[in-house]
Amino acid sequence: MLSQHTPSSKRRSVLRGLCASLLTTLGLALSAPAQMTDLAEDQSYEEALREYRGFVDRPSLYKRMWGRELLAATRDPRALEVLMKTYRKPEEPQQVNKYLITSLVMRVWGNDLSLATLGDWRGQNKKTTDSWLWYKTLLPTAVKHFEVIFDIARDNRDPFLRAAAMQSLADQLANSNSPDELPEFLSEMLTELPKKELERALRIEGVTAILLAMKPVLREDPWKEICRTLILQFDDEDTPQRTKVNIARMLTEAFEVPNLGLSSRWWQSELDRNPNRVNRQGPTQTVPFFSLRTIGYRFVYVIDASDSMLVPVTDREKKDLGPITGGDKPEPGEPGFVPGEDDIEWSRVVNRFDAAQEYLRLSLQSLSPEHEFAVVLFGSEAELLESTPRMIRATPANVRRVLKELQEIEPGPVVDRRPHGTLRGDTNLYGGLRMAFQITAKGETRSESYIDKKALFNGCDTIFLLSDGAPNFDDFLERDTPDPGDQAGDNETGEKLENTEFLNYQGPYVHGLQLYQLDDLRRMNLFRRAELHCVGIGEANHQLLEAMAEIGHGQAVKVEGTRGR
């Protein structure tokens, strides 16, 4: 049995007060956001501390974070001290707890903390593994004290910490005026670039992120010449391919034109073009998934295989799935072939999972051997297909093996609350994305993938995600004793079940604390800068998928007419 957490009214009030603004901004439902309980400061802190101590040793990560949320809700300086101290020596899983504590502290106190307090926290934690802490703590600093960012970018010995500083500035510039010194700083960053691949990539991509924030003025001086210097990186053999892909995507978004590929010639022409005149240069070859198209080299397909994906689709719903459109195209097997609507084998489409497989087949068949890919299926757990244990070349033979494995997946029997059969359980969307960032050309990385060099250069540059439901599961399931107000239930259907002595609790990336899922996606993609495109089918939480796609500078598509019978 899986728990559906229904907190007591007091705890609900506290957490709604903490999370209301973020959740409503992201479109995640909260019926009536309440304010934090108005208690005397000392009484509130002492009471919350007692509850926190009762939660902090619980088996469930969800319960432990619940206790930290209660403590943080007091906004008491002593609560901040407790959380910062815990960051230095957290319980297992250590890195996950560090990310969660960082996000919590900065959400509750971030804009009120002094420059000295933030600097001291970074100064006590300056390993590569603290990159997320540096990014989050530099956000309030980035524009008002931009000289701090410049100093870190110039002098810090750790390339990831330098990159974290530059990204924090990029993310703040979207809503702030840029400092007068910024053009000179960016020109400096592009002069005498490092020879080491990692340092070079992170520096150029940091400049790229900052320029994207300045997109309204990139055709004007002095930004135009900085942009020209960046475009010349396409011609430099020392610039990593992933960095060139990143530059092209930034220019595409900044200039609002089709992706012109990895040639400086076309981008120089676009930079000098009068923006009031039509650009007649068309896009280079793109890779499709549903109606989405992109240019990249390493793709991970993250496909929902929860039980609800077995819901049937009708003939009309098949039509409403929509074609992949296009004009004249090469024949199958020729370079540049992109399958269209007529290439879908509609006789195979009985349910949502069948539809997902067909569109996945079309996408895989559009790849060429220069591309690499992997396929992740997620239900209660996320797993790679056996035929893609790592990023593999998109050769015809490899594509055939993947399609054969997919076709051999058979639904399980009909059971209670699963009238259409069983597939792989609940909806662990978080686990699917986490796996996507971990897979590399060598297999699944065991280190922290967002700061892993192999994952950075040999992992995906594009993720296609398809799901038909709201996330109701993550990678941190633990058995724990229920508290008053906790309710057992079926995660896929929402049906309440009878409580037992122990319940299984997911981690903090679903249910009432779901906002952590979006923050952790930002962390996972902080340096990878993968493009994330999302397709929502049926009862998918489309607002959540839109928020995820925005983080990944991608698109979100809602497929209508797949609600089943």
Side-chain angles (χ1 to χ4, degrees):
M1 272 185 285
L2 305 176
S3 68
Q4 290 183 316
H5 187 68
T6 307
S8 66
S9 59
K10 178 180 176 181
R11 291 176 183 157
R12 185 187 300 114
S13 176
V14 172
L15 287 184
R16 280 183 174 174
L18 280 170
C19 306
S21 59
L22 270 176
L23 290 175
T24 51
T25 298
L26 299 172
L28 303 178
L30 268 183
S31 55
Q35 299 300 316
M36 284 187 290
T37 307
D38 186 15
L39 299 173
E41 188 175 74
D42 289 343
Q43 179 185 5
S44 174
Y45 173 73
E46 296 298 338
E47 185 176 272
L49 183 63
R50 285 194 297 272
E51 290 206 60
Y52 164 77
R53 287 170 175 167
F55 280 115
V56 73
D57 293 324
R58 297 282 290 271
S60 165
L61 179 59
Y62 177 85
K63 291 291 186 181
R64 283 178 266 151
M65 281 308 299
W66 188 266
R68 286 173 182 144
E69 287 276 356
L70 290 171
L71 191 64
T74 67
R75 294 179 56 83
D76 189 290
R78 292 167 293 180
L80 175 63
E81 184 178 348
V82 169
L83 293 171
M84 285 183 168
K85 183 178 180 180
T86 304
Y87 177 91
R88 291 197 292 274
K89 292 185 178 180
E91 77 280 5
E92 294 292 343
Q94 289 188 350
Q95 288 303 322
V96 172
N97 275 298
K98 284 191 171 190
Y99 306 146
L100 291 167
I101 291 170
T102 298
S103 294
L104 173 60
V105 167
M106 296 309 296
R107 169 159 50 86
V108 176
W109 283 281
N111 291 329
D112 298 327
L113 295 179
S114 69
L115 187 66
T117 299
L118 294 171
D120 287 345
W121 198 14
R122 288 193 302 274
Q124 296 169 10
N125 304 279
K126 47 189 178 181
K127 297 180 180 178
T128 301
T129 52
D130 297 307
S131 294
W132 179 242
L133 171 69
W134 279 58
Y135 166 74
K136 294 289 282 188
T137 57
L138 284 167
L139 282 172
T141 305
V143 176
K144 292 182 179 179
H145 303 279
F146 58 85
E147 68 280 358
V148 174
I149 303 295
F150 292 173
D151 289 344
I152 293 172
R154 290 183 178 117
D155 301 330
N156 197 284
R157 296 181 181 181
D158 189 301
F160 283 103
L161 299 185
R162 290 200 299 265
M166 294 180 73
Q167 187 61 48
S168 69
L169 177 58
D171 288 345
Q172 289 294 66
L173 282 173
N175 302 310
S176 306
N177 294 325
S178 63
D180 293 338
E181 296 86 347
L182 186 58
E184 181 181 354
F185 168 73
L186 295 181
S187 296
E188 176 188 340
M189 289 294 101
L190 292 177
T191 303
E192 296 184 6
L193 288 166
K195 290 297 183 182
K196 291 184 179 180
E197 183 182 47
L198 176 64
E199 294 184 17
R200 186 185 188 93
L202 290 177
R203 179 184 291 190
I204 295 173
E205 290 165 23
V207 171
T208 301
I210 292 172
L211 286 177
L212 180 58
M214 303 301 300
K215 64 181 180 181
V217 297
L218 288 189
R219 296 183 193 271
E220 303 172 7
D221 292 329
W223 305 100
K224 186 174 183 178
E225 291 311 308
I226 298 172
C227 205
R228 194 182 305 280
T229 302
L230 187 68
I231 288 171
L232 291 176
Q233 292 303 315
F234 287 124
D235 301 330
D236 195 323
E237 61 182 16
D238 289 332
T239 301
Q241 182 193 63
R242 59 156 279 127
T243 302
K244 294 178 180 180
V245 169
N246 188 265
I247 295 171
R249 287 173 170 174
M250 182 279 286
L251 294 171
T252 297
E253 185 174 347
F255 293 149
E256 298 181 346
V257 296
N259 193 320
L260 304 180
L262 309 186
S263 169
S264 67
R265 172 189 174 189
W266 296 115
W267 287 114
Q268 292 271 28
S269 176
E270 175 59 35
L271 180 65
D272 293 328
R273 178 178 67 87
N274 182 335
N276 295 319
R277 299 181 62 182
V278 176
N279 181 3
R280 300 187 181 279
Q281 170 64 27
T284 57
Q285 180 185 345
T286 58
V287 173
F289 185 65
F290 281 74
S291 60
L292 302 167
R293 290 177 179 272
T294 189
I295 293 175
Y297 288 90
R298 298 183 178 91
F299 302 86
V300 174
Y301 299 85
V302 182
I303 307 299
D304 194 337
S306 61
D307 295 340
S308 59
M309 287 291 286
L310 295 177
V311 170
V313 294
T314 65
D315 289 340
R316 179 177 179 83
E317 288 169 335
K318 293 177 185 179
K319 182 178 180 180
D320 290 342
L321 281 168
I324 293 178
T325 58
D328 295 336
K329 64 182 183 182
E331 294 297 319
E334 294 182 357
F337 169 68
V338 177
E341 180 187 23
D342 294 339
D343 300 294
I344 294 176
E345 296 186 26
W346 292 106
S347 61
R348 293 183 177 179
V349 179
V350 176
N351 55 47
R352 296 171 181 174
F353 190 63
D354 295 332
Q357 287 190 69
E358 276 299 291
Y359 276 88
L360 175 57
R361 178 178 67 83
L362 299 184
S363 187
L364 293 179
Q365 289 178 341
S366 74
L367 301 179
S368 62
E370 70 174 342
H371 296 124
E372 295 180 8
F373 74 98
V375 178
V376 176
L377 298 184
F378 67 92
S380 297
E381 295 182 355
E383 297 178 309
L384 287 159
L385 290 183
E386 291 184 4
S387 51
T388 62
R390 59 186 181 280
M391 300 292 292
I392 63 172
R393 289 284 178 185
T395 63
N398 282 340
V399 171
R400 284 195 298 271
R401 276 191 287 271
V402 170
L403 296 179
K404 181 176 184 294
E405 182 178 351
L406 286 168
Q407 291 167 7
E408 290 174 351
I409 295 175
E410 294 288 342
V414 172
V415 296
D416 288 345
R417 298 178 297 280
R418 299 295 187 273
H420 306 296
T422 53
L423 203 54
R424 300 200 175 181
D426 294 310
T427 306
N428 186 357
L429 187 152
Y430 171 81
L433 286 173
R434 194 165 178 242
M435 177 74 72
F437 284 104
Q438 290 175 333
I439 189 65
T440 74
K442 299 289 187 179
E444 186 180 351
T445 179
R446 297 299 178 185
S447 60
E448 292 302 307
S449 59
Y450 89 115
I451 51 172
D452 182 271
K453 180 180 178 180
K454 293 179 181 178
L456 198 70
F457 289 104
N458 298 304
C460 65
D461 60 37
T462 307
I463 299 173
F464 289 119
L465 167 70
L466 181 144
S467 181
D468 79 332
N472 57 32
F473 215 86
D474 64 15
D475 289 341
F476 302 98
L477 186 71
E478 290 290 346
R479 193 166 178 253
D480 208 336
T481 54
D483 292 305
D486 289 359
Q487 175 63 57
D490 185 303
N491 282 338
E492 284 289 286
T493 66
E495 181 181 348
K496 292 183 179 180
L497 302 174
E498 184 179 351
N499 280 1
T500 57
E501 182 181 0
F502 294 97
L503 295 179
N504 293 320
Y505 290 87
Q506 294 82 23
Y509 299 103
V510 293
H511 298 319
L513 304 183
Q514 195 180 60
L515 73 168
Y516 286 116
Q517 183 165 26
L518 288 168
D519 220 24
D520 209 49
L521 175 59
R522 288 187 182 91
R523 178 193 63 79
M524 290 187 284
N525 206 30
L526 188 63
F527 306 122
R528 181 73 63 86
R529 307 179 195 278
E531 205 170 72
L532 172 60
H533 299 283
C534 302
V535 177
I537 294 181
E539 298 78 37
N541 184 332
H542 191 65
Q543 291 175 315
L544 175 62
L545 296 182
E546 283 183 325
M548 289 180 167
E550 183 177 356
I551 290 170
H553 291 276
Q555 300 177 59
V557 172
K558 184 177 183 180
V559 179
E560 303 286 355
T562 55
R563 304 264 175 203
R565 297 192 182 103

